[in-house]
Amino acid sequence: MKFHPAVLMLIVWSVCVVMFYVLPFQLENRVMSLYGLLILLMFIAAYCLGATAASRRMVQRPMPIDVAIDFRMTDRILITTSAIALAACIMDVQGRDLFNLIDSYQVRSDRAGGLLSAAESASTVWFQIAFITSPAAYIYLVREITFRPRPILWRTAVFGFGPILMVSLSAGGRNPLFYAMLVTGFSYLLRKHVFANGVPGAKASATKRKRRPIFKLNTASRILIGVLVACTTVYFARVFIVRADVVGGVDAMFGIAGSSWGVNFNGPLADVFFAVLGPDLTYLVFVFVWYVVQGFVMSNTIFTSYEGPMMWTAYGIDISSAIVRRTNSEFLATGFGHLLSLNTYGFLPSAFGSLFVDFKFLGLLPCFIWGWLSGTVYKKVKQASDPRWLLAAPIVVIGILLSVINTPIGFSNGLVTHAWLIVAFMSARVMRWRPAVAATGLVSD
């Protein structure tokens, strides 16, 4: 964790604001109010106060070479859970064309409409099982990529990416796959810290077992990763283009963005984008960046005008929404109806807009606690006395980066992801160096 959580939060939101005002976004039938901006600053300040209360800026201590982590129980739990998720996803998608993006888009639209109309959920028991178990794959990616000297690629593919890919295709969304890519990237960056002084817990003089070199990306691996990232980017772009085609093409989609979304891409410099990139690429720039900055706009509307009930996590947390839908669907529909009247339903509200809908100004308290927990993880990682805290580092950093979208426990089934993080942390065992441990190393090869 290079930056203190409070500093990183300020950087993320500063970049978000700059992107919105520098690029040619033009609001239509929306107004950015000073009152809403002040409330946003209150929430950011609450987070930063919590983070600084837990820790101040610290210098990174080296990873202790005499400490090992026994991940054997963790591996059994996460691999078993990911296998269950993969099997449940396969059962759920029987008879469906996973690569028909138009059908996937319709499924997502039907689900959104069902929440507004208080309709019963049509999800299968297999989808519900996958909903609970698939987030374990994110934590397995962290464990496998960050801590294993030589990650087992087939396990990473099957038990790490397998459930996430199937959930993304099944639900027709991008968030799980996007989150998995971020987890993978940050987990790989952590390896430099974990293995800076060799394999922790292993002393060469204490064991005669010949060790294979620590895995590093070679040229072929980098090329393969580049190809995979390119394919994923094309998939994301194709999703947006298909949705535009459904309503008549890119030009029609720009019209819908202006009339229905309340934003367009016709501000200053818009002509330059259209002249250089053309309509299709300009549209992709618009929707990709809008994905990041819309929370800034939507939260301002929510802070300024939301008069619905406090939804007590039913808005911001996926699993809470699912439970309330089955126990009090009318309450859920009422709250979402207020958001629809503000033209914010279906858009990303940012972490702070989500907290405001769920708790109004009481949301400042969980925001402070979020900051305090982030600061605690930062402190533990910097102290480097217990390497298990590195399991949480990518999740915490990504939670801050995606605060422009939702809270860490609200984005892409985040509450369940954090539950599996706690399970992994508690099931891993810290061991001080001794000959038997040295023969094992930080993890089992």
Side-chain angles (χ1 to χ4, degrees), residues 135-440:
Y138 298 127
I139 310 305
Y140 183 72
L141 285 172
V142 180
R143 176 267 178 276
E144 185 73 26
I145 296 172
T146 300
F147 291 94
R148 195 182 292 277
R150 295 192 64 83
I152 302 174
L153 297 183
W154 74 267
R155 283 190 185 178
T156 306
V158 174
F159 301 115
F161 284 102
I164 303 305
L165 178 60
M166 290 300 297
V167 166
S168 296
L169 292 173
S170 174
R174 308 166 305 281
N175 288 348
L177 192 56
F178 176 55
Y179 193 84
M181 292 175 62
L182 292 176
V183 168
T184 300
F186 282 105
S187 297
Y188 182 77
L189 292 176
L190 274 178
R191 289 177 59 83
K192 296 180 180 179
H193 174 59
V194 173
F195 299 110
N197 299 315
V199 179
K203 293 187 176 180
S205 60
T207 177
K208 295 181 179 179
R209 190 179 75 167
K210 184 178 180 180
R211 293 188 172 276
R212 300 172 66 190
I214 295 171
F215 172 79
K216 293 182 180 180
L217 287 176
N218 54 27
T219 302
S221 299
R222 291 192 177 104
I223 292 174
L224 177 60
I225 290 174
V227 171
L228 292 175
V229 171
C231 290
T232 305
T233 303
V234 170
Y235 168 72
F236 289 163
R238 186 59 187 161
V239 168
F240 287 123
I241 292 296
V242 166
R243 292 180 182 179
D245 290 341
V246 169
V247 297
V250 168
D251 291 337
M253 197 65 207
F254 273 118
I256 291 175
S259 61
S260 298
W261 298 4
V263 64
N264 217 319
F265 212 57
N266 54 8
L269 300 180
D271 292 342
V272 176
F273 277 87
F274 280 96
V276 174
L277 301 179
D280 288 353
L281 287 180
T282 299
Y283 169 71
L284 290 178
V285 171
F286 166 60
V287 292
F288 273 112
V289 180
W290 173 245
Y291 186 79
V292 175
V293 305
Q294 65 182 284
F296 174 57
V297 177
M298 297 305 159
S299 63
N300 188 276
T301 301
I302 289 171
F303 294 144
T304 304
S305 305
Y306 180 71
E307 297 180 352
M310 286 190 288
M311 297 191 66
W312 302 106
T313 74
Y315 176 57
I317 300 178
D318 294 342
I319 194 169
S320 180
S321 299
I323 292 172
V324 174
R325 186 176 185 181
R326 288 163 174 78
T327 58
N328 191 355
S329 59
E330 291 292 340
F331 170 77
L332 199 66
T334 299
F336 287 163
H338 281 278
L339 293 168
L340 182 65
S341 68
L342 298 177
N343 196 19
T344 58
Y345 178 70
F347 294 99
L348 305 173
S350 86
F352 310 118
S354 178
L355 287 170
F356 190 83
V357 172
D358 280 330
F359 303 107
K360 298 292 179 68
F361 285 103
L362 293 178
L364 292 168
L365 178 59
C367 192
F368 178 89
I369 295 172
W370 172 24
W372 184 83
L373 292 173
S374 300
T376 299
V377 172
Y378 171 84
K379 179 174 68 176
K380 294 294 186 180
V381 169
K382 290 294 186 180
Q383 290 174 340
S385 58
D386 185 348
R388 291 181 302 171
W389 286 96
L390 287 170
L391 280 168
I395 309 301
V396 169
V397 171
I398 294 171
I400 297 171
L401 294 178
L402 299 183
S403 63
V404 294
I405 296 175
N406 206 335
T407 65
I409 60 176
F411 181 81
S412 191
N413 204 6
L415 180 62
V416 180
T417 300
H418 283 72
W420 287 114
L421 171 62
I422 294 172
V423 169
F425 185 95
M426 298 302 294
S427 60
R429 190 160 61 95
V430 177
M431 300 181 295
R432 291 289 172 181
W433 179 86
R434 60 182 186 275
V437 173
T440 303

Side-chain angles (χ1 to χ4, degrees), residues 34-53:
L34 177 61
Y35 177 73
L37 291 173
L38 291 175
I39 295 177
L40 173 64
L41 291 176
M42 287 175 58
F43 274 89
I44 293 176
Y47 175 89
C48 293
L49 286 173
T52 53

Side-chain angles (χ1 to χ4, degrees), residues 24-139:
F25 288 101
Q26 188 78 38
L27 295 182
E28 299 184 12
N29 301 317
R30 291 188 189 276
V31 177
M32 297 291 289
S33 74
L34 177 61
Y35 177 73
L37 291 173
L38 291 175
I39 295 177
L40 173 64
L41 291 176
M42 287 175 58
F43 274 89
I44 293 176
Y47 175 89
C48 293
L49 286 173
T52 53
S55 67
R56 303 299 171 90
R57 185 179 181 277
M58 300 174 64
V59 176
Q60 181 66 60
R61 296 179 183 176
M63 183 67 63
I65 199 67
D66 62 340
V67 173
I69 303 179
D70 183 357
F71 276 118
R72 287 174 294 182
M73 180 59 71
T74 305
D75 286 345
R76 294 189 191 103
I77 294 172
L78 296 180
I79 289 175
T80 300
T81 306
S82 290
I84 292 171
L86 191 57
C89 287
I90 292 173
M91 294 299 296
D92 180 58
V93 300
Q94 290 294 315
R96 291 171 50 189
D97 182 1
L98 296 181
F99 299 99
N100 189 325
L101 297 180
I102 295 177
D103 287 350
S104 297
Y105 175 61
Q106 188 61 49
V107 169
R108 287 169 57 84
S109 299
D110 291 344
R111 286 175 179 168
L115 289 170
L116 280 174
S117 61
E120 293 185 5
S121 174
S123 62
T124 67
V125 66
W126 299 113
F127 179 83
Q128 295 167 21
I129 292 172
F131 185 83
I132 296 296
T133 54
S134 61
Y138 298 127
I139 310 305

